Each structure stands twice: as structure tokens, then as C-alpha cells.
Short mmCIF file of all heavy atoms in Angstrom, two decimals:
data_model
loop_
_atom_site.label_atom_id
_atom_site.label_comp_id
_atom_site.label_asym_id
_atom_site.label_seq_id
_atom_site.Cartn_x
_atom_site.Cartn_y
_atom_site.Cartn_z
N GLU H 1 109.14 107.33 68.81
CA GLU H 1 108.95 105.95 68.40
C GLU H 1 109.35 105.01 69.52
O GLU H 1 110.22 105.34 70.33
CB GLU H 1 109.81 105.65 67.15
CG GLU H 1 109.37 106.42 65.91
CD GLU H 1 107.93 106.10 65.54
OE1 GLU H 1 107.59 104.90 65.49
OE2 GLU H 1 107.16 107.04 65.32
N PRO H 2 108.74 103.82 69.60
CA PRO H 2 109.13 102.85 70.62
C PRO H 2 110.62 102.54 70.53
O PRO H 2 111.18 102.42 69.45
CB PRO H 2 108.28 101.62 70.29
CG PRO H 2 107.12 102.17 69.52
CD PRO H 2 107.65 103.34 68.75
N LEU H 3 111.26 102.41 71.68
CA LEU H 3 112.70 102.24 71.72
C LEU H 3 113.13 100.85 72.12
O LEU H 3 114.30 100.63 72.41
CB LEU H 3 113.31 103.25 72.71
CG LEU H 3 113.09 104.71 72.33
CD1 LEU H 3 113.62 105.61 73.43
CD2 LEU H 3 113.79 105.03 71.02
N ALA H 4 112.22 99.89 72.17
CA ALA H 4 112.62 98.57 72.63
C ALA H 4 111.70 97.51 72.05
O ALA H 4 110.66 97.80 71.50
CB ALA H 4 112.60 98.50 74.15
N ARG H 5 112.10 96.28 72.19
CA ARG H 5 111.24 95.17 71.86
C ARG H 5 111.06 94.32 73.11
O ARG H 5 111.84 94.43 74.05
CB ARG H 5 111.85 94.32 70.74
CG ARG H 5 113.19 93.70 71.12
CD ARG H 5 113.80 92.98 69.93
NE ARG H 5 115.13 92.48 70.26
CZ ARG H 5 115.36 91.29 70.78
NH1 ARG H 5 114.36 90.50 71.09
NH2 ARG H 5 116.59 90.89 71.03
N THR H 6 110.05 93.49 73.13
CA THR H 6 109.81 92.62 74.27
C THR H 6 110.38 91.24 73.99
O THR H 6 110.16 90.68 72.92
CB THR H 6 108.30 92.50 74.55
OG1 THR H 6 107.80 93.80 74.85
CG2 THR H 6 108.06 91.59 75.74
N VAL H 7 111.12 90.69 74.92
CA VAL H 7 111.61 89.33 74.83
C VAL H 7 110.96 88.54 75.94
O VAL H 7 111.11 88.86 77.11
CB VAL H 7 113.15 89.27 74.98
CG1 VAL H 7 113.62 87.83 74.92
CG2 VAL H 7 113.81 90.08 73.88
N ASP H 8 110.16 87.52 75.58
CA ASP H 8 109.44 86.76 76.58
C ASP H 8 110.38 85.90 77.41
O ASP H 8 111.43 85.45 76.95
CB ASP H 8 108.42 85.84 75.91
CG ASP H 8 107.32 86.64 75.24
OD1 ASP H 8 107.00 87.74 75.73
OD2 ASP H 8 106.79 86.16 74.23
N GLN H 9 110.00 85.66 78.68
CA GLN H 9 110.80 84.82 79.55
C GLN H 9 110.98 83.43 78.93
O GLN H 9 112.00 82.79 79.13
CB GLN H 9 110.10 84.69 80.92
CG GLN H 9 109.93 86.00 81.66
CD GLN H 9 111.20 86.43 82.38
OE1 GLN H 9 112.24 85.79 82.26
NE2 GLN H 9 111.11 87.53 83.12
N GLU H 10 109.97 82.95 78.16
CA GLU H 10 110.05 81.61 77.60
C GLU H 10 111.14 81.48 76.55
O GLU H 10 111.49 80.39 76.12
CB GLU H 10 108.70 81.22 76.97
CG GLU H 10 107.58 80.98 77.98
CD GLU H 10 106.99 82.27 78.53
OE1 GLU H 10 107.37 83.36 78.05
OE2 GLU H 10 106.16 82.19 79.46
N ASP H 11 111.71 82.62 76.10
CA ASP H 11 112.74 82.54 75.09
C ASP H 11 114.05 81.98 75.64
O ASP H 11 115.01 81.80 74.90
CB ASP H 11 113.02 83.94 74.51
CG ASP H 11 111.86 84.40 73.64
OD1 ASP H 11 111.01 83.57 73.30
OD2 ASP H 11 111.82 85.59 73.30
N GLY H 12 114.10 81.73 76.94
CA GLY H 12 115.30 81.16 77.53
C GLY H 12 116.07 82.21 78.30
O GLY H 12 115.62 83.33 78.50
N PRO H 13 117.29 81.87 78.77
CA PRO H 13 118.10 82.80 79.58
C PRO H 13 118.34 84.10 78.83
O PRO H 13 118.50 84.12 77.61
CB PRO H 13 119.40 82.02 79.80
CG PRO H 13 119.06 80.59 79.57
CD PRO H 13 117.97 80.59 78.55
N ALA H 14 118.37 85.19 79.60
CA ALA H 14 118.58 86.50 78.99
C ALA H 14 119.96 86.57 78.33
O ALA H 14 120.95 86.16 78.91
CB ALA H 14 118.46 87.59 80.05
N GLN H 15 120.00 87.05 77.10
CA GLN H 15 121.25 87.24 76.39
C GLN H 15 121.64 88.72 76.45
O GLN H 15 120.91 89.56 76.97
CB GLN H 15 121.10 86.79 74.94
CG GLN H 15 120.61 85.35 74.79
CD GLN H 15 121.57 84.35 75.40
OE1 GLN H 15 122.78 84.46 75.21
NE2 GLN H 15 121.05 83.40 76.15
N ALA H 16 122.80 89.03 75.89
CA ALA H 16 123.28 90.41 75.94
C ALA H 16 122.30 91.37 75.29
O ALA H 16 122.20 92.52 75.69
CB ALA H 16 124.65 90.51 75.26
N GLY H 17 121.56 90.90 74.29
CA GLY H 17 120.63 91.78 73.61
C GLY H 17 119.21 91.69 74.11
O GLY H 17 118.32 92.24 73.50
N SER H 18 118.99 90.97 75.20
CA SER H 18 117.63 90.80 75.71
C SER H 18 117.09 92.09 76.29
O SER H 18 117.82 92.89 76.87
CB SER H 18 117.61 89.72 76.80
OG SER H 18 117.94 88.46 76.26
N CYS H 19 115.79 92.27 76.13
CA CYS H 19 115.11 93.37 76.79
C CYS H 19 113.75 92.87 77.24
O CYS H 19 112.88 92.62 76.41
CB CYS H 19 114.96 94.58 75.87
SG CYS H 19 114.39 96.04 76.75
N LEU H 20 113.60 92.67 78.54
CA LEU H 20 112.38 92.08 79.08
C LEU H 20 111.37 93.16 79.47
O LEU H 20 110.81 93.13 80.55
CB LEU H 20 112.72 91.20 80.28
CG LEU H 20 113.81 90.15 80.07
CD1 LEU H 20 114.03 89.33 81.33
CD2 LEU H 20 113.44 89.24 78.90
N LEU H 21 111.17 94.13 78.60
CA LEU H 21 110.26 95.23 78.87
C LEU H 21 109.35 95.42 77.66
O LEU H 21 109.71 95.08 76.53
CB LEU H 21 111.04 96.52 79.14
CG LEU H 21 111.90 96.54 80.41
CD1 LEU H 21 112.82 97.76 80.41
CD2 LEU H 21 111.03 96.54 81.66
N ASP H 22 108.19 95.98 77.92
CA ASP H 22 107.18 96.20 76.88
C ASP H 22 107.52 97.49 76.12
O ASP H 22 107.56 98.57 76.70
CB ASP H 22 105.81 96.30 77.54
CG ASP H 22 104.67 96.30 76.54
OD1 ASP H 22 104.92 96.63 75.37
OD2 ASP H 22 103.55 95.98 76.94
N ALA H 23 107.75 97.35 74.83
CA ALA H 23 108.14 98.51 74.02
C ALA H 23 107.11 99.63 74.08
O ALA H 23 107.46 100.80 73.91
CB ALA H 23 108.33 98.07 72.56
N GLU H 24 105.85 99.29 74.34
CA GLU H 24 104.79 100.30 74.34
C GLU H 24 105.03 101.38 75.38
O GLU H 24 104.58 102.53 75.22
CB GLU H 24 103.44 99.62 74.61
CG GLU H 24 102.24 100.56 74.63
CD GLU H 24 100.94 99.85 74.93
OE1 GLU H 24 100.97 98.61 75.10
OE2 GLU H 24 99.91 100.54 75.01
N PHE H 25 105.75 101.05 76.44
CA PHE H 25 105.88 102.00 77.56
C PHE H 25 107.29 102.58 77.68
O PHE H 25 107.62 103.20 78.68
CB PHE H 25 105.45 101.33 78.86
CG PHE H 25 104.03 100.85 78.83
CD1 PHE H 25 103.73 99.51 78.88
CD2 PHE H 25 102.99 101.76 78.70
CE1 PHE H 25 102.42 99.05 78.83
CE2 PHE H 25 101.67 101.33 78.64
CZ PHE H 25 101.38 99.97 78.71
N PHE H 26 108.11 102.37 76.65
CA PHE H 26 109.41 103.04 76.59
C PHE H 26 109.23 104.45 76.05
O PHE H 26 108.44 104.68 75.14
CB PHE H 26 110.37 102.28 75.68
CG PHE H 26 111.39 101.47 76.42
CD1 PHE H 26 111.22 100.11 76.59
CD2 PHE H 26 112.51 102.08 76.96
CE1 PHE H 26 112.15 99.35 77.26
CE2 PHE H 26 113.46 101.34 77.63
CZ PHE H 26 113.29 99.97 77.79
N SER H 27 110.00 105.39 76.57
CA SER H 27 109.98 106.76 76.06
C SER H 27 111.38 107.33 76.11
O SER H 27 112.20 106.95 76.94
CB SER H 27 109.07 107.66 76.91
OG SER H 27 107.77 107.15 77.01
N SER H 28 111.64 108.27 75.21
CA SER H 28 112.84 109.09 75.29
C SER H 28 112.43 110.45 75.83
O SER H 28 111.44 111.03 75.41
CB SER H 28 113.47 109.25 73.91
OG SER H 28 114.48 110.24 73.96
N THR H 29 113.20 110.97 76.77
CA THR H 29 112.92 112.29 77.33
C THR H 29 113.46 113.39 76.44
O THR H 29 113.15 114.56 76.64
CB THR H 29 113.55 112.44 78.72
OG1 THR H 29 114.98 112.32 78.59
CG2 THR H 29 113.04 111.37 79.67
N GLY H 30 114.30 113.03 75.46
CA GLY H 30 114.97 114.05 74.67
C GLY H 30 116.26 114.52 75.30
O GLY H 30 116.96 115.35 74.74
N VAL H 31 116.58 113.99 76.49
CA VAL H 31 117.83 114.33 77.17
C VAL H 31 118.83 113.22 76.89
O VAL H 31 118.51 112.04 77.02
CB VAL H 31 117.60 114.48 78.69
CG1 VAL H 31 118.92 114.79 79.40
CG2 VAL H 31 116.59 115.58 78.96
N VAL H 32 120.04 113.59 76.50
CA VAL H 32 121.05 112.60 76.16
C VAL H 32 121.54 111.88 77.41
O VAL H 32 121.25 112.29 78.54
CB VAL H 32 122.24 113.25 75.43
CG1 VAL H 32 121.81 113.84 74.11
CG2 VAL H 32 122.90 114.31 76.31
N VAL H 33 122.28 110.81 77.20
CA VAL H 33 122.86 110.05 78.30
C VAL H 33 123.67 110.99 79.19
O VAL H 33 124.49 111.78 78.71
CB VAL H 33 123.76 108.93 77.76
CG1 VAL H 33 124.31 108.10 78.92
CG2 VAL H 33 123.03 108.06 76.78
N ASP H 34 123.42 110.93 80.49
CA ASP H 34 124.10 111.79 81.48
C ASP H 34 123.75 113.27 81.31
O ASP H 34 124.38 114.13 81.93
CB ASP H 34 125.61 111.62 81.45
CG ASP H 34 126.06 110.26 81.97
OD1 ASP H 34 125.36 109.67 82.82
OD2 ASP H 34 127.11 109.79 81.52
N GLY H 35 122.74 113.57 80.47
CA GLY H 35 122.28 114.95 80.38
C GLY H 35 121.72 115.43 81.70
O GLY H 35 121.80 116.61 82.05
N ILE H 36 121.11 114.53 82.46
CA ILE H 36 120.81 114.75 83.87
C ILE H 36 121.97 114.12 84.63
O ILE H 36 122.10 112.89 84.65
CB ILE H 36 119.47 114.13 84.28
CG1 ILE H 36 118.33 114.82 83.51
CG2 ILE H 36 119.24 114.24 85.78
CD1 ILE H 36 116.98 114.17 83.71
N PRO H 37 122.85 114.92 85.21
CA PRO H 37 124.11 114.38 85.74
C PRO H 37 123.95 113.77 87.13
O PRO H 37 123.68 114.45 88.11
CB PRO H 37 125.02 115.61 85.79
CG PRO H 37 124.08 116.76 85.98
CD PRO H 37 122.79 116.39 85.28
N ALA H 38 124.12 112.45 87.20
CA ALA H 38 124.14 111.80 88.51
C ALA H 38 125.33 112.30 89.32
O ALA H 38 126.36 112.69 88.76
CB ALA H 38 124.21 110.29 88.33
N LEU H 39 125.19 112.28 90.63
CA LEU H 39 126.25 112.74 91.52
C LEU H 39 127.12 111.57 91.96
O LEU H 39 126.63 110.45 92.15
CB LEU H 39 125.66 113.42 92.75
CG LEU H 39 124.81 114.68 92.49
CD1 LEU H 39 124.16 115.15 93.79
CD2 LEU H 39 125.65 115.79 91.88
N THR H 40 128.39 111.83 92.15
CA THR H 40 129.32 110.84 92.69
C THR H 40 130.05 111.44 93.87
O THR H 40 130.69 112.49 93.75
CB THR H 40 130.33 110.39 91.62
OG1 THR H 40 129.63 109.74 90.55
CG2 THR H 40 131.33 109.41 92.21
N GLN H 41 129.92 110.80 95.01
CA GLN H 41 130.54 111.25 96.25
C GLN H 41 130.34 112.74 96.51
O GLN H 41 131.30 113.49 96.74
CB GLN H 41 132.03 110.91 96.25
CG GLN H 41 132.32 109.43 96.51
CD GLN H 41 131.74 108.95 97.85
OE1 GLN H 41 130.61 108.46 97.93
NE2 GLN H 41 132.50 109.12 98.90
N PRO H 42 129.07 113.20 96.49
CA PRO H 42 128.83 114.61 96.80
C PRO H 42 129.11 114.91 98.26
O PRO H 42 129.15 114.00 99.11
CB PRO H 42 127.34 114.78 96.48
CG PRO H 42 126.77 113.41 96.71
CD PRO H 42 127.84 112.45 96.28
N GLU H 43 129.29 116.18 98.56
CA GLU H 43 129.64 116.59 99.92
C GLU H 43 128.41 116.59 100.81
O GLU H 43 127.36 117.14 100.46
CB GLU H 43 130.26 117.98 99.90
CG GLU H 43 130.71 118.47 101.28
CD GLU H 43 131.39 119.82 101.24
OE1 GLU H 43 131.50 120.40 100.14
OE2 GLU H 43 131.79 120.31 102.32
#
């Protein structure tokens, strides 16, 4: 299912809940947050 809503620029300054993206093109990969582990200070 779509994971976002679109908030138009005309709605004013972005608020904490703003999402300026088109819900049609949002996807979930099925991988949880940090399920693909980013590296920090790798060797």
C-alpha cells in the first residue's frame, strides 16, 4: 500500500509531518529499518 501522502509546496512552510513526495512512487522493500546495515567508520 502507498506509504505517504503528498503535501503541496503551496501549503506553506514544511511542518514536522510534511511529506513533499508523491505517494504513488513510495514502496516498502519488506526490510525493516537498518535491516540493510549502514557502515560507520569502516576500516
